[in-house]
């Protein structure tokens, strides 16, 4: 990667890792409070801390890491960014950063303790929403860089499929732009005027619906960069090939199509939405599972083909041939493993009747700590261990590689404790988003306490892993020996077939996206607005 593009990428990674530190601290305190053994000092509120933890890790850290990774991945595979593209990238970075600081200050002042989902009826200071708007606009500007680089590559190479990593970054960017229209609408047209006192009331159901229109694709916005590494980077690291370039592209297109019209599976227990439309969105949710199953198949195929090419025999002999001592492989691999129960939990959540058992319990928190905080984040760590030295002109030494492996394993152990205990306590009915309480000595609540202690044990192990990853990050950014670290980009296995150009027909795919969204959301939205409550003076409240 060109050093000028590397600098832009690194700027994003600095913010992401600072976010990891702050959010990780908040997470540790969170688990300690819930264990009942610790009280927050200096008047810090539980929900203030929970908001800080969620916003900084789920929104800030991820978005910066993803934007930085996609920008350098495009620079590496579609060619160095032009000056105009790079400058646009910097504008996006600064817009996001100003917005992030504004939102963070409001949270620290306890003016925005509205959780990372921030929908009504919780209300924050107007500056929190202005900050969020800047983050979204900044991410669009950075997304424009990916689009510009893609268009320029296609012009230079007519009739050719774009490089796989560039293609994948583009799909994730397009999905992000379509999805963020929902959250931008609720922030601009509902939350901001409401918090400024310009309107007295806003429709809570509409606000939640617009949020979840964005909230579910948000989780795939986190997931797809991990999939980029699993499909393209990991095969090269192990010395193998990508099972199928076209299959990888198709799975990304399926994510683009099906990840947005499914927000109702977060609202299955909410009133105001006809069950028929919830059912439709549950069906679409099951469609979006397919590309993940394709990914699992393709990864197994890559690993097995590689192992057998090295002479492995028997059903699982190929496992022995994988490079277990290489942090760049092992850490994302642990992420993949964790995604098997993580994904299974998602399928449980999406199944209407079972959702009634787990909704709003700490099971859901367990689910997303397995998916985003284990599968995705471990993969991001795995990426950092070669990408940071690649960008800073340094190398990952053997000693650092060992430390990185220890870090990944500690993270996995911490998350197993924490997320396992959350799943179990959730099935016993423990609510999510609540501080420690004995609920007046209720027998049911007493059953949750051992699991809450297990969460605190997990949280403490995780915090040690965070200190380790920060140490390694600082080492790789500033102190590791100078040298060249590879940016591994895999090639497709033989026979290499040219990916069908229909996969790059964006008018077609975006057209289907719009149709699916219109189908899944138009009538429920009209219903929501028509069925809005009547005010005391006899007129519609919104
Ligand atoms: Fe989820 C709630 C359904 C995936 C994140 N989810 C959440 C929330 C978050 C989140 C943050 O239907 C909470 C939001 C909040 O604050 O309220 N989720 C799903 C479904 C999937 C899913 C169906 N979620 C994710 C991913 C996330 C994420 C990914 C983050 C990155 N989720 C739900 C539902 C709710 C929900 C409901 C609402 C619950 C409620 O009531 O509030 C699917 O996409 C999952 C499909 C995945 C698979 C697994 C494929 C496995 C692979 C690994 C292969 C491994 C290999 C290595 C090859 C089917 C690809 C193995 C090698 C060996 C040797 C063994």
């Amino acid at each position: 990667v060109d050093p000028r593009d590397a600098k832009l990428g690194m700027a994003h990674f600095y913010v992401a890792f600072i976010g990891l530190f702050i959010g990780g601290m908040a997470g540790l305190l969170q688990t300690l409070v819930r264990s009942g053994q610790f009280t927050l000092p200096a008047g810090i509120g539980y929900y203030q801390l929970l908001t800080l933890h969620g916003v900084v890790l789920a929104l800030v850290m991820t978005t910066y890491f993803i934007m930085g990774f996609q920008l350098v991945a495009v620079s590496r595979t579609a060619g160095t960014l032009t000056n105009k593209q790079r400058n646009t990238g910097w504008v996006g970075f600064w817009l996001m950063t100003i917005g992030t600081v504004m939102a963070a200050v409001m949270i620290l002042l306890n003016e925005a303790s509205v959780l990372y989902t921030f929908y009504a009826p919780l209300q924050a200071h107007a500056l929190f929403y202005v900050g969020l708007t800047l983050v979204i606009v900044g991410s669009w500007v950075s997304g424009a860089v990916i689009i510009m680089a893609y268009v320029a590559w296609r012009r230079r190479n007519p009739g050719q499929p774009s490089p796989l990593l560039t293609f994948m970054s583009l799909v994730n960017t397009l999905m992000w732009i379509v999805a963020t229209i929902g959250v931008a609408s609720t922030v601009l047209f509902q939350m901001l005027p409401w918090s400024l006192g310009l309107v007295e009331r806003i429709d809570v159901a509409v606000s939640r619906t617009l949020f979840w229109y964005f909230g579910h694709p948000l989780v795939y916005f986190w997931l797809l960069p991990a999939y980029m590494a699993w499909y393209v980077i990991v095969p090269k690291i192990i010395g193998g090939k990508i099972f199928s370039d076209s299959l990888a592209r198709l799975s990304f297109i399926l994510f683009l199509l099906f990840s947005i019209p499914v927000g109702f599976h977060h609202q299955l227990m909410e009133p105001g939405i006809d069950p028929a439309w919830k059912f439709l969105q549950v069906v679409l949710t099951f469609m979006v599972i397919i590309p993940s199953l394709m990914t699992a198949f393709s990864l197994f195929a890559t690993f097995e083909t590689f192992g057998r090419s090295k002479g492995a025999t028997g059903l699982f002999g190929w496992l022995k041939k994988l490079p277990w001592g290489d942090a760049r492989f092992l850490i994302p691999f642990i992420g993949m493993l964790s995604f098997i129960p993580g994904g299974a939990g998602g399928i449980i959540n999406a199944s209407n009747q079972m959702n009634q058992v787990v909704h709003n319990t700490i099971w859901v928190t367990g689910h997303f700590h397995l998916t985003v905080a284990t599968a995705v984040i471990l993969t991001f760590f795995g990426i950092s261990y070669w990408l940071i030295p690649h960008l800073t002109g340094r190398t990952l030494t053997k000693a650092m590689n060992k430390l990185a492996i220890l870090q990944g394993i500690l993270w996995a152990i911490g998350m197993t404790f924490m997320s396992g205990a959350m799943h179990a306590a959730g099935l016993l009915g423990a609510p999510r988003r609540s501080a420690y309480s004995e609920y007046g000595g209720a027998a049911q609540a007493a059953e949750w306490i051992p699991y809450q202690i297990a969460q605190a044990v997990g949280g403490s192990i995780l915090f040690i892993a965070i200190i380790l990853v920060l140490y390694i990050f600082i080492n790789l950014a500033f102190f590791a020996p100078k040298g060249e670290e590879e940016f591994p980009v895999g090639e497709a296995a033989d026979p290499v077939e040219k990916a069908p150009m229909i996969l790059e027909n964006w008018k077609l795919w975006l057209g289907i996206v719009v149709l699916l969204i219109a189908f899944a959301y138009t009538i429920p939205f009209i219903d929501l607005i028509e069925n809005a409550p009547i005010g005391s003076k006899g007129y519609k409240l919104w």
Side-chain angles (χ1 to χ4, degrees):
V1 172
D2 182 279
R4 291 164 300 172
D5 296 347
K7 206 170 154 195
L8 177 60
M10 280 306 292
H12 289 81
F13 295 133
Y14 290 130
V15 181
F17 279 86
I18 293 171
L20 177 66
F21 177 66
I22 299 173
M25 282 282 282
L28 174 67
L29 295 177
Q30 207 79 53
T31 57
L32 294 180
V33 171
R34 277 193 81 120
S35 75
Q37 310 293 319
F38 176 78
T39 322
L40 286 172
I44 303 172
Y46 177 77
Y47 291 101
Q48 187 182 4
L49 191 71
L50 185 54
T51 306
L52 185 72
H53 175 66
V55 169
V56 170
L57 290 180
L59 303 180
V60 174
M61 190 235 165
T62 49
T63 309
Y64 275 88
F65 189 92
I66 292 165
M67 290 297 174
F69 176 54
Q70 292 186 161
L71 286 169
V72 294
V74 167
S75 162
R76 163 76 169 79
T77 53
T80 301
L81 301 180
T82 61
N83 285 341
K84 184 175 158 205
Q85 290 163 1
R86 193 176 310 108
N87 291 340
T88 312
W90 279 111
V91 173
F93 171 81
W94 282 113
L95 278 175
M96 282 186 3
T97 307
I98 296 168
T100 300
V101 171
M102 282 170 76
V105 168
M106 285 301 121
I107 297 173
L108 292 175
L109 293 176
N110 203 14
E111 292 285 346
S113 298
V114 290
L115 309 182
Y116 89 102
T117 38
F118 61 83
Y119 41 59
L122 296 178
Q123 192 192 48
H125 193 284
L127 284 181
F128 176 76
Y129 301 117
V130 176
L132 288 183
T133 308
L134 285 178
V135 173
I136 296 168
V137 173
S139 74
W140 287 345
V141 174
S142 296
V145 179
I146 311 277
I147 297 174
M148 285 192 284
Y150 171 83
V151 171
W153 192 95
R154 287 290 305 277
R155 281 215 187 103
R156 291 197 303 273
N157 303 274
Q160 290 305 313
S162 54
L164 187 51
L165 270 185
T166 298
F167 175 92
M168 292 170 150
S169 304
L170 179 77
V171 171
N172 205 24
T173 303
L174 293 177
M175 186 180 77
W176 176 251
I177 292 173
V178 179
T180 40
I181 293 172
V183 70
S185 311
T186 177
V187 167
L188 279 181
F189 300 120
Q190 293 191 291
M191 317 299 277
L192 201 52
W194 181 46
S195 67
L196 286 170
L198 301 176
V199 292
E200 202 185 327
R201 292 186 173 85
I202 58 168
D203 190 330
V204 174
V206 168
S207 143
R208 292 171 72 99
T209 304
L210 285 172
F211 181 87
W212 286 120
Y213 162 96
F214 152 81
H216 199 71
L218 168 70
V219 315
Y220 295 121
F221 174 70
W222 300 330
L223 181 69
L224 292 193
Y227 275 16
M228 290 182 207
W230 295 0
Y231 271 115
V232 187
I233 311 277
V234 167
K236 173 80 181 195
I237 289 174
I238 65 173
K241 294 274 171 82
I242 301 169
F243 171 67
S244 161
D245 178 293
S246 306
L247 180 141
R249 288 178 202 254
L250 179 63
S251 83
F252 270 59
I253 292 290
L254 292 177
F255 273 113
L256 178 63
L257 300 187
F258 294 114
S259 60
I260 302 169
V262 295
F264 285 172
H265 72 223
H266 292 265
Q267 299 174 280
L268 292 175
M269 298 298 110
E270 277 177 34
I273 303 168
D274 192 308
W277 293 106
K278 289 181 179 171
F279 176 72
L280 174 83
Q281 294 212 10
V282 162
V283 172
L284 292 171
T285 304
F286 277 80
M287 297 292 287
V288 80
I289 294 167
I290 294 172
S292 281
L293 295 176
M294 286 163 63
T295 306
F297 169 79
S298 172
L299 294 170
F300 272 113
T302 296
F303 295 150
E304 183 176 350
T305 316
F306 166 73
R308 295 204 187 281
S309 76
K310 294 283 166 215
T313 51
L315 201 52
F316 291 111
W318 47 271
L319 272 171
K320 290 193 205 128
K321 302 285 176 190
L322 296 170
W324 299 110
D326 187 339
R328 301 171 309 158
F329 161 73
L330 179 67
I331 298 179
F333 183 86
I334 303 175
M336 292 173 200
L337 278 185
S338 71
F339 198 45
I340 298 176
I347 296 172
I348 291 173
N349 296 345
S351 309
N352 185 56
Q353 289 85 337
M354 284 194 269
N355 187 268
Q356 305 184 22
V357 177
V358 298
H359 183 65
N360 270 344
T361 71
I362 199 162
W363 160 286
V364 174
T365 321
H367 163 66
F368 66 73
H369 280 86
L370 259 191
T371 47
V372 62
T374 312
V376 170
I377 292 298
L378 273 181
T379 306
F380 287 2
F381 291 159
I383 293 173
S384 306
Y385 293 147
W386 54 263
L387 183 55
I388 303 300
H390 174 86
L391 297 178
T392 54
R394 297 177 188 273
T395 52
L396 177 72
T397 59
K398 281 202 173 126
M400 271 306 142
N401 180 61
K402 272 196 185 146
L403 205 57
I405 289 181
L406 175 68
Q407 187 275 331
I409 291 175
L410 275 180
W411 189 273
I413 296 174
M415 275 300 176
T416 307
F417 267 101
M418 198 180 83
S419 162
M422 286 172 164
H423 277 93
L427 289 180
L428 295 173
R432 65 184 285 197
R433 308 186 186 107
S434 70
Y436 180 80
S437 167
E438 287 170 7
Y439 295 88
Q444 181 68 56
E447 285 188 30
W448 305 332
I449 293 172
Y451 295 102
Q452 281 160 206
I453 295 185
Q455 287 163 34
V457 172
S460 310
I461 301 175
L462 280 164
F463 194 68
I464 301 173
I466 288 190
I467 301 292
L468 269 184
V469 71
L470 290 172
Y471 173 76
I472 304 171
F473 174 78
I474 293 170
N475 177 278
L476 294 175
F478 303 108
F479 302 110
K482 293 262 180 203
E484 253 186 50
E485 187 71 42
E486 184 195 8
F487 188 133
V489 178
E491 286 164 20
D494 292 329
V496 181
E497 82 299 10
K498 186 178 155 192
M501 287 311 287
I502 190 165
L503 292 171
E504 314 234 5
N505 186 339
W506 302 110
K507 278 191 195 134
L508 173 69
W509 303 125
L510 287 175
I512 301 178
V513 168
V514 173
L515 279 180
L516 280 171
I517 295 173
F519 181 44
Y521 271 109
T522 311
I523 297 181
F525 238 101
I526 294 173
D527 281 352
L528 275 178
I529 292 168
E530 276 192 348
N531 297 335
I534 307 286
S536 56
K537 294 197 180 111
Y539 54 79
K540 281 261 167 93
L541 282 177
W542 24 79

